[in-house]
Amino acid sequence: MMPLRLVEEWLHSCSGCEIALLNMGEGLLELLPGLEIVHMPILMDHKYVSSQGEDGAEPQLSLPRAEVGLVSGGCANEEHRELLEEIRAKCDFLVAMGTCATHGGIPALTNTRGLEQTYAEVFAAADHGQAAVPDQGVPRPLDRVYAVDELVRVDLLVPGCPPNPVHLKEVLTALVEGRAPQLPTKSVCDTCPAIRRGTIEKKEVQRFTVNADYDPAQELSAMRCLLEQGLMCMGPVTAAGCARRGAPSCIQARVPCRGCYGPVRNQGNQMMDMMNALVSGGVDMKTIVDRQGLLRFSGAHNRLRKRARRRG
């Protein structure tokens, strides 16, 4: 059989997803007989924009045709959108890789401010507030940061900040073998060994300036659930997948889950689901300092919007 051709591109991202691909290590090498990488900026210097012709024609964006496409990062400007539409057109099966691509990620936090306020805040810190917003030779920004599946059809979502290399290997292996990938469907809580008694002790949310109660000499299975200790742990509403040493990564470090794998359900709303979980536990909603912060990793799909300014 001929190897599957693979195209990979990054949009509004930090390259953490691409490093996760490389962190597959020997697993990536094992896949190479069944994969032909035809475009991947982190590995090869393959330009996707043609040179300007002698007739003065505008350069054309073009990617190679491939059976599989991987795209990381959200979509924040016209170049991102053009590139995303091109990879969708050229690839038979498109995978949104990482939470920025699947749910907006950290870049989508700017959706609460809008372009004008974001620029004012960013450039006020540059050159003593005298720096001008660049408008030459840079792509025109979109009205907000979008998740990939808001703009094009996506065949598979693989969240994570960054995604687990084990899951990336499973996706690529499944595609090579012609089967459906087997990915986690549970929540972080479902994979956490901490002790749960079914009741939240404190009815006021504790910010993580308060230490969790645990004995560092004991195993994680001897620690009381962080949410039940009154800390804002988003394990109940966050998709599992970060565990690499037997327990969710943040919980392994005795740190509350921050929700970086996005909602358990694809169309879920982490803020609303978390608020419901807290209310059912008798927690005082007034003690939640920043409700929108519950969407810090999933602010696309119009979850985070520009706040209306109060008058007077």
Side-chain angles (χ1 to χ4, degrees):
M1 294 179 60
M2 295 291 291
L4 296 180
R5 290 166 295 183
L6 172 69
V7 163
E8 192 278 335
E9 257 298 345
W10 44 20
L11 305 178
H12 198 339
S13 62
C14 67
S15 80
C17 295
E18 285 70 24
I19 298 302
L21 273 174
L22 299 185
N23 282 344
M24 288 168 54
E26 293 183 358
L28 179 59
L29 299 179
E30 294 168 0
L31 282 168
L32 290 183
L35 285 176
E36 179 187 358
I37 300 174
V38 294
H39 178 82
M40 185 178 288
I42 200 169
L43 290 181
M44 58 180 67
D45 186 18
H46 179 266
K47 301 296 188 292
Y48 59 75
V49 178
S50 63
S51 301
Q52 190 170 11
E54 295 180 0
D55 58 357
E58 289 293 323
Q60 297 296 312
L61 186 153
S62 180
L63 291 173
R65 290 200 170 274
E67 285 74 34
V68 180
L70 301 178
V71 60
S72 70
C75 192
N77 61 44
E78 292 290 356
E79 182 180 0
H80 292 157
R81 180 159 63 184
E82 185 180 2
L83 188 54
L84 178 59
E85 291 173 349
E86 173 69 4
I87 195 172
R88 174 69 274 181
K90 293 293 182 65
C91 296
D92 299 332
F93 192 92
L94 183 60
V95 179
M97 179 176 63
T99 304
C100 288
T102 62
H103 297 96
I106 292 298
L109 286 172
T110 192
N111 291 349
T112 63
R113 291 169 171 80
L115 288 177
E116 183 178 345
Q117 184 179 348
T118 298
Y119 285 156
E121 292 177 357
V122 171
F123 290 97
D127 194 21
H128 303 287
Q130 301 302 310
V133 178
D135 59 1
Q136 300 295 319
V138 294
R140 186 170 67 87
L142 302 179
D143 60 314
R144 63 179 176 88
V145 176
Y146 291 82
V148 169
D149 65 347
E150 292 186 87
L151 300 175
V152 300
R153 177 178 57 84
V154 173
D155 299 293
L156 183 65
L157 303 176
V158 184
C161 189
N164 194 324
V166 173
H167 299 160
L168 294 177
K169 181 184 178 183
E170 165 60 15
V171 169
L172 295 177
T173 300
L175 292 173
V176 169
E177 296 177 352
R179 59 176 175 82
Q182 300 297 313
L183 296 174
T185 58
K186 297 181 179 181
S187 72
V188 167
C189 281
D190 291 328
T191 63
C192 178
I195 299 170
R196 289 196 295 274
R197 297 173 183 163
T199 58
I200 300 178
E201 290 183 346
K202 294 180 172 58
K203 302 309 178 183
E204 296 182 354
V205 174
Q206 309 295 302
R207 303 188 71 180
F208 199 54
T209 54
V210 178
N211 289 334
D213 182 17
Y214 69 93
D215 184 345
Q218 293 185 328
E219 296 293 330
L220 182 60
S221 57
M223 182 184 75
R224 178 76 182 276
C225 165
L226 295 177
L227 181 60
E228 292 186 0
Q229 290 188 40
L231 295 168
M232 181 62 84
C233 182
M234 296 189 62
V237 301
T238 300
C242 63
R244 302 186 188 184
R245 294 187 298 274
S249 295
C250 285
I251 311 298
Q252 185 75 43
R254 278 57 171 183
V255 175
C257 169
R258 302 283 278 175
C260 77
Y261 265 65
V264 180
R265 297 177 291 111
N266 178 31
Q267 299 300 323
N269 184 320
Q270 283 178 289
M271 179 179 70
M272 296 303 298
D273 291 345
M274 192 68 201
M275 297 287 282
N276 287 335
L278 294 172
V279 168
S280 65
V283 174
D284 182 1
M285 293 296 99
K286 295 179 181 179
T287 63
I288 300 176
V289 177
D290 180 16
R291 297 184 184 186
Q292 286 192 318
L294 302 178
L295 291 169
R296 64 176 58 83
F297 289 98
S298 54
H301 302 99
N302 270 325
R303 296 281 187 254
L304 285 179
R305 304 177 186 180
K306 186 178 180 180
R307 296 177 179 177
R309 294 185 178 181
R310 297 180 179 179
R311 296 182 178 179

